[in-house]
Amino acid sequence: MHWFSDATMDWEVWAEVFRRAADSARALGSTREVAVQLNYLAWARNMCVFDYVGALAAADTALEAARQAGDELQVGWALGYGAGALQRLGRITEAVARLRSSVARFAGLSCGASRLAELTALNALGQVLRMDGRPEEALAIHRRSETLCRAGIPGRPTAVSNAYLSLVSQSVGNDLAALGRWSEAEAPLREVLTLRAGNPESFWSETARLELGVVLRHLGRHEEARETLTAAHESLVRLNHPRQLEAAAELSTLEAAASTA
């Protein structure tokens, strides 16, 4: 269920699924499982229904349950999901602080699941740093994650390592774009599309396609940029993803530039 939901983030039903799962965990009296399911609920509210206030509430309640259960892995996840909500609410300083705490929690654990969690938290921390106008710091964080991914994740199949590598590659591409290093940004964004080829028209693929289109526009390859941005926009509309508006704006910018050329 966990990995399947990751691959189908456009399904708004996940928020209801994990809300009911958290209710079931409470009925069973399992504090640890309450923390797990509330963390999933925070994820769903962040990523599937874009309810960031609700996501923060779920993450904070998960954090309380995880601490009560003494589960450091779930503490780290709750800090991370709460940070994601804070980021989207524009509370960047708080998000960075929570993510640093999340990374530290995961780094102190030795289980295989904690390595995946650490990669997730590092990737999110880099993204927030980039949003805060610190792309050099973000790139350093993401290069660290990239090294871990390319070395392989102990106890996890290649498909899982590739999924995490695609996230890191997308972040590296965006860091380089934020630094104006457009020619360097193209390759990692194309790698995302290659790694995600088995799951076309996913949230991950189409946001990377949008970002690749922006890079191509800055490189002056306008026809290729138009094709890429059009495909991304159409897919993001079908997925009902909020970045469809960004894709439409990028297409308008490209057309305006073409009309004055």
Side-chain angles (χ1 to χ4, degrees):
M1 186 73 76
H2 170 74
W3 294 110
F4 180 56
S5 62
D6 264 355
T8 53
M9 273 193 257
D10 53 308
W11 292 11
E12 295 182 5
V13 72
W14 290 121
E16 179 68 9
V17 168
F18 292 124
R19 183 188 66 78
R20 289 177 180 266
D23 289 344
S24 297
R26 288 192 186 95
L28 291 169
S30 173
T31 304
R32 178 192 174 277
E33 197 60 38
V34 167
V36 171
Q37 300 304 324
L38 283 173
N39 273 329
Y40 289 154
L41 176 59
W43 169 86
R45 286 177 172 169
N46 265 329
M47 306 302 293
C48 305
V49 297
F50 318 116
D51 172 14
Y52 308 132
V53 172
L56 182 58
D60 284 347
T61 308
L63 182 59
E64 293 175 10
R67 284 173 171 162
Q68 184 179 343
D71 190 319
E72 289 296 297
L73 185 66
Q74 294 306 317
V75 167
W77 279 118
L79 288 166
Y81 288 131
L86 288 166
Q87 171 197 345
R88 293 170 178 88
L89 290 168
R91 295 161 61 179
I92 302 299
T93 300
E94 294 171 82
V96 168
R98 285 207 196 191
L99 282 168
R100 291 196 190 281
S101 295
S102 179
V103 169
R105 295 276 180 172
F106 294 140
L109 300 175
S110 59
C111 61
S114 67
R115 295 289 70 74
L116 294 178
E118 184 181 7
L119 284 168
T120 301
L122 282 169
N123 199 43
L125 174 59
Q127 290 174 4
V128 176
L129 289 170
R130 184 176 64 246
M131 285 182 59
D132 198 36
R134 295 147 72 180
E136 288 282 5
E137 290 180 65
L139 183 58
I141 291 286
H142 289 139
R143 289 296 193 196
R144 174 180 162 191
S145 296
E146 183 181 27
T147 298
L148 291 172
C149 282
R150 294 195 188 279
I153 302 170
R156 293 296 186 271
T158 301
V160 172
S161 296
N162 284 345
Y164 275 76
L165 179 58
S166 74
L167 296 177
V168 176
S169 294
Q170 187 170 3
S171 293
V172 168
N174 286 325
D175 296 339
L176 291 166
L179 290 164
R181 293 160 61 177
W182 302 107
S183 59
E184 294 175 73
E186 181 181 359
L189 291 173
R190 287 198 183 279
E191 184 177 31
V192 177
L193 299 181
T194 299
L195 291 168
R196 293 283 180 178
N199 187 23
E201 279 208 4
S202 69
F203 161 86
W204 303 113
S205 297
E206 300 313 318
T207 54
R209 198 182 310 279
L210 163 60
E211 291 149 7
L212 175 61
V214 174
V215 167
L216 292 170
R217 176 172 66 79
H218 280 276
L219 289 173
R221 289 151 61 183
H222 291 165
E223 190 56 40
E224 191 177 358
R226 183 179 295 104
E227 293 175 3
T228 303
L229 289 169
T230 298
H233 178 251
E234 291 174 353
S235 295
L236 290 168
V237 168
R238 282 193 289 272
L239 292 168
N240 193 32
H241 193 276
R243 291 191 70 184
Q244 63 183 275
L245 301 177
E246 183 182 343
E250 287 292 340
L251 278 168
S252 296
T253 299
L254 184 63
E255 296 302 328
S259 67
T260 58

